[in-house]
Amino acid sequence: MNDLTELDEPIEIAQTMRDEIRRVSNATRARRLMVSRVMTTLCAVTLAVTAVPLALLLYQLIKRGAPELTWTFFTKVPETPSLIAPNATGGLSNAILGSIALNVYASILAIPIGVLVGVYLAESMNKFAATLRVIAQTMAGAPSILMGLFAFSFLLQDLHIGFSAIAGSFALAVLMLPVIIIATEIAVLNVPNTLREAGLALGAKPHKVSMRVVIPSALTGIVTGCILAISRAIGETAPVLLVIGGGYLNTWKPLSPVSALPLSIYENAKSEWPSQRAQVWGAALLLVIFVFILSLTARIWASRKQKVSN
Amino acid sequence: MAEFSSATTSRSWYHYLLLTACVLFGAVSVGFVGSIIQKSLPTWLHHSTTLIGGGGWQSPSGPFGGLAMIVGTLETSLIALVIAVVIGLGTAISIVFFIPRRLRNIVATFVELLAAVPSIVYGLWGFLVLAPFMYSTIDPWLNSWPFAREIWGDPSQQYGPSLFLAAIVLGVMILPTFVAISREVISVVPDDLIEASLSLGATRWQVIRKVVLPTARIGLFGATFLALARATGETVAVALIAGGVAKVQWHMLNPGTSIASWIATEFGEAQGNEVSALMALGVLLMLLSFSLSLVSRWLVSRQRKLLARV
């Protein structure tokens, strides 16, 4: 390189370097192209490897689940099959009602607190907020069975509440809290500062700006986060497994034992009756439909917001 | 942001409302960690060596040895992670660079929906579809390999559910999560960088290898840790398909168990000391999950600093 820079003609340097690059490039082109082709083909192969099991899963879910979703499935409580009536499985109305009740109570517990904490985190820069942020991020990754253990040790052992819907909702609420907090914080941080400045310049008190300007502008993001939290909670088995008791009755009372869709899938998958094992596919399909509807709603909300802000 | 820390500087009822929510959330998280630890104290004080030893799990009287679950958790989640990262990275690259633009959004949405499918559905599929298929078709073929007994274990102990099957299903389960996040981080790599290196004569693979992946690596780290956290904490899917045998298992086709799934399956009938021992397993799981999130936070911040220096 040194003797190159000592040349008088800069054009000549460029010429030499370009020739050198061309030479190396041409000499290695065949090899580089082959490596590139092999690797891109491998990438395409992994795409197929990903698609096959997931497509199979969805196909079997629909093929086996759809015939199970009958009127009885939605309206009757479960029965235990017997040798005389091996196909008498009844329905899963108790689990559907239980799942809805669990998630409604959990949302009532988690959404107000989660949103308020999220707003606080977005609008403060002190140590307390930083600590809470780390806690929320850590809890968002905590295994869901731990929420079940917490609900069991706190509500059942310490407060003697007993197996109940509210204990399951408590566990689900602990699961949803960090998701809602993080989503709310991001939504509030995304509100443009000009909006805040405009509010403050008009003489509004800071908390009025936060309540009347910032939160309404962040609302779509907050709602999206809440829907995603619910869609995660509705499919969770582990937190409710230890504490809701699992009853055969159609009930939504907070203090009585209830069943839930994921729980009845878990229990009945191990059943010795083929009819009950078949029915489980219906429950799984229904659960997946619930989750898909919730996630799609959240997506549509989020994209609508983008259109509005553009 | 400091000048807008509106809600926290003005001492209004709004400020106290936010603060109350934060204190509540803080209390919940302290209670979450504290109550599980408190309930596990008897085990830690009197049987801590038994708990992390390989003495097996004899309910209801003890000893309660957790080594089998610890080893099972590590084996299943690490194999699952390798499957998910190798296949998922290729898939994410293909989605971003090789799929026609029109299909891209549809495929991306679809992957995100699959990431939201509840884990119990994957568990059900593994238990009712894959396990019988493994037993009838795959297992005999694997057992015909050289050194099959050393790798896969004694065929007479195999009956379908196994650690290997659990690892595969976990891999398929965390695959959409990993693909969804890594697709997003890969697709935000600036086009200028890609076009610049293409114009210098780099092949497609060289661009991906030398430009795209290094630029996206912080996000890819994040995706990897999230996938690993999901795999280690997975409860009901593993409870259905790992076999539920509390024995340290190095032969992958033999049944085993994991920490989370063992808590789920044993908790129902547990009394007294066993509850405490299961809570202690929960503390181990919590430690594992918290240290994973610590390491990922550290890695991400270190990478950010390195990038900032460049």
Side-chain angles (χ1 to χ4, degrees):
Chain A
M1 281 304 278
N2 272 340
D3 31 2
L4 272 183
T5 45
E6 281 159 20
L7 286 173
D8 296 334
E9 302 270 347
I11 300 168
E12 227 170 275
I13 305 171
Q15 186 68 43
T16 329
M17 286 180 73
R18 200 166 60 201
D19 287 350
E20 179 64 12
I21 290 174
R22 278 226 178 103
R23 197 184 57 75
V24 175
S25 169
N26 282 335
T28 57
R29 170 173 286 146
R31 188 177 55 81
R32 288 187 300 130
L33 274 179
M34 207 186 61
V35 170
S36 181
R37 283 211 188 100
V38 170
M39 294 312 287
T40 47
T41 317
L42 275 182
C43 282
V45 170
T46 60
L47 180 65
V49 172
T50 306
V52 167
L54 292 170
L56 257 172
L57 168 69
L58 282 187
Y59 168 73
Q60 270 156 345
L61 186 65
I62 293 168
K63 197 186 102 188
R64 299 190 184 198
E68 299 292 329
L69 295 180
T70 56
W71 184 246
T72 323
F73 181 92
F74 290 99
T75 51
K76 292 276 179 355
V77 293
E79 293 168 30
T80 317
S82 60
L83 283 174
I84 308 154
N87 289 326
T89 54
L92 287 177
S93 65
N94 62 335
I96 298 170
L97 195 62
S99 263
I100 294 172
L102 280 170
N103 280 281
V104 169
Y105 302 145
S107 308
I108 294 174
L109 288 174
I111 289 177
I113 299 180
V115 170
L116 291 176
V117 175
V119 172
Y120 182 84
L121 293 194
E123 303 216 329
S124 343
M125 290 193 64
N126 51 27
K127 273 259 163 60
F128 181 52
T131 316
L132 284 183
R133 186 174 301 120
V134 172
I135 290 176
Q137 283 166 356
T138 312
M139 280 187 49
S144 57
I145 183 85
L146 295 179
M147 319 305 180
L149 283 181
F150 175 37
F152 185 88
S153 84
F154 180 55
L155 294 181
L156 272 65
Q157 289 188 319
D158 293 347
L159 299 183
H160 304 290
I161 284 184
F163 294 106
S164 56
I166 199 71
S169 302
F170 178 77
L172 290 180
V174 177
L175 183 93
M176 290 163 69
L177 262 176
V179 183
I180 299 173
I181 291 174
I182 293 170
T184 306
E185 191 194 351
I186 293 173
V188 171
L189 283 179
N190 278 343
V191 173
N193 261 340
T194 44
L195 274 183
R196 291 193 183 88
E197 284 160 7
L200 290 171
L202 287 174
K205 293 221 176 70
H207 73 268
K208 285 264 158 151
V209 174
S210 174
M211 247 184 324
R212 296 271 169 83
V213 179
V214 177
I215 294 184
S217 336
L219 200 60
T220 14
I222 296 174
V223 172
T224 308
C226 293
I227 296 176
L228 287 178
I230 296 173
S231 86
R232 186 172 163 211
I234 201 166
E236 282 286 353
T237 321
V240 298
L241 178 68
L242 311 177
V243 293
I244 60 171
Y248 279 145
L249 299 173
N250 279 332
T251 178
W252 45 266
K253 293 200 185 87
L255 286 176
S256 52
V258 293
S259 188
L261 275 175
L263 187 65
S264 46
I265 297 174
Y266 177 67
E267 300 284 334
N268 288 353
K270 295 176 287 188
S271 162
E272 54 193 315
W273 298 99
S275 55
Q276 274 193 319
R277 291 202 301 269
Q279 190 188 39
V280 161
W281 287 99
L285 180 61
L286 186 63
L287 200 57
V288 170
I289 292 174
F290 269 149
V291 171
F292 276 16
I293 290 176
L294 286 172
S295 317
L296 280 176
T297 319
R299 278 185 149 267
I300 292 166
W301 264 89
S303 65
R304 207 188 61 169
K305 171 195 161 196
Q306 266 174 359
K307 260 179 217 147
V308 170
S309 59
N310 282 350
Chain B
M1 277 303 290
E3 65 271 35
F4 301 117
S5 49
S6 41
T8 51
T9 45
S10 65
R11 294 279 176 268
S12 60
W13 60 271
Y14 182 68
H15 165 248
Y16 289 111
L17 182 69
L18 292 188
L19 216 54
T20 314
C22 289
V23 169
L24 259 174
F25 173 64
V28 166
S29 55
V30 169
F32 172 66
V33 177
S35 80
I36 297 179
I37 291 180
Q38 183 222 332
K39 293 294 173 347
S40 72
L41 272 182
T43 302
W44 289 119
L45 291 178
H46 305 298
H47 309 288
S48 50
T49 46
T50 327
L51 185 80
I52 46 177
W57 192 282
Q58 312 289 337
S59 51
S61 57
F64 303 116
L67 191 64
M69 299 87 195
I70 301 170
V71 172
T73 303
L74 295 179
E75 282 173 342
T76 49
S77 50
L78 288 180
I79 297 177
L81 185 72
V82 171
I83 296 176
V85 168
V86 170
I87 299 177
L89 203 53
T91 308
I93 292 172
S94 319
I95 292 177
V96 178
F97 294 110
F98 307 143
I99 280 189
R101 188 175 292 273
R102 256 190 214 169
L103 280 176
R104 205 176 296 158
N105 274 335
I106 301 173
V107 174
T109 311
F110 196 62
V111 168
E112 267 164 47
L113 282 182
L114 280 170
V117 169
S119 60
I120 182 73
V121 176
Y122 288 97
L124 177 72
W125 179 64
F127 184 64
L128 290 185
V129 178
L130 280 192
F133 178 69
M134 286 285 284
Y135 184 63
S136 64
T137 316
I138 309 276
D139 284 5
W141 177 68
L142 289 176
N143 281 322
S144 66
W145 283 17
F147 304 111
R149 267 185 104 84
E150 283 72 27
I151 306 171
W152 304 115
D154 184 0
S156 67
Q157 288 186 27
Q158 299 164 3
Y159 62 99
S162 65
L163 281 179
F164 188 57
L165 180 63
I168 292 176
V169 173
L170 278 183
V172 174
M173 189 185 98
I174 59 180
L175 195 52
T177 314
F178 182 81
V179 173
I181 304 172
S182 42
R183 183 203 67 84
E184 209 164 314
V185 296
I186 287 177
S187 67
V188 295
V189 170
D191 281 342
D192 319 0
L193 290 182
I194 297 171
E195 281 158 13
S197 67
L198 277 176
S199 74
L200 286 174
T203 60
R204 264 177 149 183
W205 176 247
Q206 280 180 311
V207 173
I208 292 167
R209 183 62 223 292
K210 302 266 166 73
V211 177
V212 175
L213 293 184
T215 316
R217 71 173 176 245
I218 295 181
L220 295 177
F221 272 136
T224 310
F225 274 95
L226 209 72
L228 186 59
R230 226 189 135 189
T232 48
E234 180 43 45
T235 309
V236 281
V238 179
L240 281 176
I241 50 185
V245 174
K247 213 177 117 196
V248 180
Q249 205 65 267
W250 302 109
H251 303 307
M252 294 311 289
L253 279 186
N254 288 354
T257 187
S258 76
I259 298 178
S261 70
W262 193 252
I263 297 175
T265 47
E266 294 301 296
F267 211 89
E269 279 91 47
Q271 305 241 320
N273 282 342
E274 196 177 1
V275 172
S276 156
L278 289 170
M279 291 282 181
L281 277 184
V283 173
L284 285 180
L285 192 61
M286 197 190 284
L287 277 179
L288 187 64
S289 139
F290 288 179
S291 46
L292 270 179
S293 104
L294 257 183
V295 171
S296 82
R297 200 190 312 280
W298 175 75
L299 268 180
V300 167
S301 72
R302 206 184 64 138
Q303 291 291 341
R304 285 244 165 80
K305 269 181 212 143
L306 285 181
L307 272 194
R309 205 180 295 161
V310 170

